[in-house]
Amino acid sequence: MTSDRNRLSGPLADPSADAGYPDTHPPRMGFFTDTSVCIGCKACQVACKEWNRLPAETEELDLLGQSFDNTGALSADNWRHVAFIEQKIEQKTEQKVAPDRPPVDLGMPAMGPPGHDADAGEDRVRWLMSSDVCKHCTHAACLDVCPTGSLFRTEFGTVVVQEDICNGCGYCVPACPYGVIDVRPGDGRAFKCTLCYDRLGAGREPACAQACPTDSIQFGRLEELRERADRRVTELHERGVDQARLYGRDPQDGVGGDGAFFLLLDEPEVYGLPPDPVVTTRDLPSMWRHAAAAAAGVAVSVALSFVGRGTFHGRRR
C-alpha cells in the first residue's frame, strides 16, 4: 500500500497498483526522447495525427514566421509538437566545453550567413530539436482534479482522457504543470496524448515511436528506458557534450518522475519546459487543513461576538 505521504507527491514505485490495478498488471510503459538525434522531420507529428484522427487546423498550413515550427505548442489537436530552437554558438564557448579536442558533431544542422568563417571565430548557429508530448506524470494533477473520472490511470501507468465522459469543465488545463492538456475549440472537451493506449493493448508500440527514423523517440518499459538514458548521458559526457542532461527522469522530482522524459542539450527553459515542475495538487491537504482552521476561527469569533452582545445588553437592563 502507498503511504498517505505519496498519495499526491513524492516517489511512487507503481502508479498502476496505486490506482487499483492488481499485482499482475503490465509493467509501466513510457517514452524516452533523445533530442540529440532528433532531425526535426516531424514524422511523429504526422503519425500521431493520422492514427488518432486528429483534426487539421488551417493555421498549420502556414509557418509561424519564427522558425520551421508550424504548430507552436502542444494543443488539443496536436499531441506531438516538434520544437525548433535556433541558437548562436560562439567558438570560444565551445572550446571551453572541450579544450583538448574539437567540438563533437552530433549530426544536427549548422548554418551561417554568406562569408561565414567558423575558423575565424565567428558565431555559428545550431538547431535544437525536440518532439514534445504529454509527460504521463507519476503524480498527475489533471487526474486529481477531474470531477467526472474522464481522466484515468491505465494498467500501463499512463494517463488517458475518455472524451465521451469529459464535461468540458477545464479544471485539468491549469492543473497541468507542463501546460500540456488543452480544450478543443468548438468542442469544449479536453484532449491530449494517450500514449496510443489502443495500440498498447494490442501489443504494438505508439505510432510516433514507430515512425521516428532516428530512434529519437524510444518506447518501452520505463525502468529499462531510464537505464538506457543514463548510459546515453554518460556516453555524451565522455564525448565532451557536457550540456547533456535528463529531464523528467528523476523519481525524486516535483511530479515523482515522468512517464515520458527527455535528454536535453541545454537548460529546460530553452525548450519551453519548466525548470522545476511540481504537481499542482501536492499541497491540497495542507490547504484544506488551513482553510478548516480559518473557518473554525471565524466561527469562534462570531460566537464570541454574540456572547459579548448578550452580556452587554443584560447589564443595560
Side-chain angles (χ1 to χ4, degrees):
M1 296 296 291
T2 303
S3 66
D4 292 337
R5 183 178 65 86
N6 287 343
R7 287 293 178 184
L8 296 176
S9 65
L12 185 61
D14 194 346
S16 295
D18 185 64
Y21 291 92
D23 295 337
T24 56
H25 66 77
R28 186 178 181 185
M29 309 300 285
F31 286 129
F32 164 46
T33 302
D34 183 351
T35 69
S36 69
V37 294
C38 178
I39 59 175
C41 67
K42 304 183 185 179
C44 55
Q45 286 189 200
V46 175
C48 180
K49 281 269 190 182
E50 289 183 348
W51 179 260
N52 294 292
R53 299 181 179 179
L54 301 180
E57 297 175 347
T58 56
E59 291 81 359
E60 293 180 6
L61 302 177
D62 300 321
L63 296 178
L64 299 178
Q66 298 175 340
S67 72
F68 291 95
D69 181 355
N70 64 339
T71 48
L74 294 171
S75 70
D77 296 332
N78 297 297
W79 297 357
R80 273 278 178 187
H81 165 241
V82 178
F84 286 71
I85 300 102
E86 299 176 7
Q87 285 186 329
K88 287 185 177 180
I89 303 178
E90 297 180 1
Q91 297 299 310
K92 59 182 181 180
T93 301
E94 290 184 299
Q95 294 302 323
K96 288 181 179 179
V97 174
D100 57 337
R101 54 188 170 180
V104 176
D105 183 6
L106 295 176
M108 295 184 294
M111 60 183 180
H116 169 76
D117 184 1
D119 294 334
E122 295 181 15
D123 294 348
R124 65 184 180 89
V125 176
R126 73 168 178 173
W127 291 344
L128 299 179
M129 302 172 189
S130 175
S131 181
D132 197 9
V133 71
C134 172
K135 312 306 181 290
H136 295 275
C137 308
T138 297
H139 294 285
C142 59
L143 190 156
D144 292 338
V145 303
C146 180
T148 65
S150 172
L151 279 147
F152 72 100
R153 179 84 61 182
T154 74
E155 65 270 31
F156 301 101
T158 58
V159 179
V160 173
V161 182
Q162 300 175 99
E163 59 267 20
D164 57 330
I165 302 178
C166 177
N167 66 356
C169 68
Y171 293 163
C172 55
V173 177
C176 176
Y178 298 101
V180 167
I181 197 164
D182 187 30
V183 173
R184 181 171 294 167
D187 182 295
R189 294 174 297 173
F191 295 85
K192 73 171 189 68
C193 162
T194 67
L195 217 146
C196 284
Y197 183 43
D198 51 347
R199 294 173 66 95
L200 266 59
R204 304 172 63 185
E205 68 177 335
C208 57
Q210 184 174 15
C212 181
T214 64
D215 275 341
S216 173
I217 301 172
Q218 302 176 34
F219 166 77
R221 296 188 178 190
L222 187 60
E223 288 303 318
E224 295 179 0
L225 292 176
R226 286 172 173 171
E227 294 175 1
R228 190 183 309 171
D230 292 340
R231 292 194 298 269
R232 176 61 175 162
V233 170
T234 299
E235 175 190 350
L236 289 176
H237 287 174
E238 291 175 349
R239 294 169 57 187
V241 188
D242 296 335
Q243 308 98 321
R245 71 202 68 192
L246 294 179
Y247 180 84
R249 181 252 184 271
D250 186 5
Q252 302 289 337
D253 68 13
V255 296
D258 292 322
F261 64 101
F262 303 79
L263 186 153
L264 305 179
L265 295 177
D266 209 324
E267 298 289 343
E269 299 93 320
V270 173
Y271 295 84
L273 297 169
D276 188 19
V278 174
V279 58
T280 52
T281 52
R282 179 191 64 181
D283 298 324
L284 280 179
S286 61
M287 292 171 61
W288 282 113
R289 286 194 297 269
H290 284 90
V298 171
V300 170
S301 299
V302 171
L304 291 176
S305 68
F306 278 104
V307 171
R309 290 180 60 186
T311 302
F312 176 75
H313 289 302
R315 288 178 178 176
R316 289 187 60 183
R317 292 192 190 95

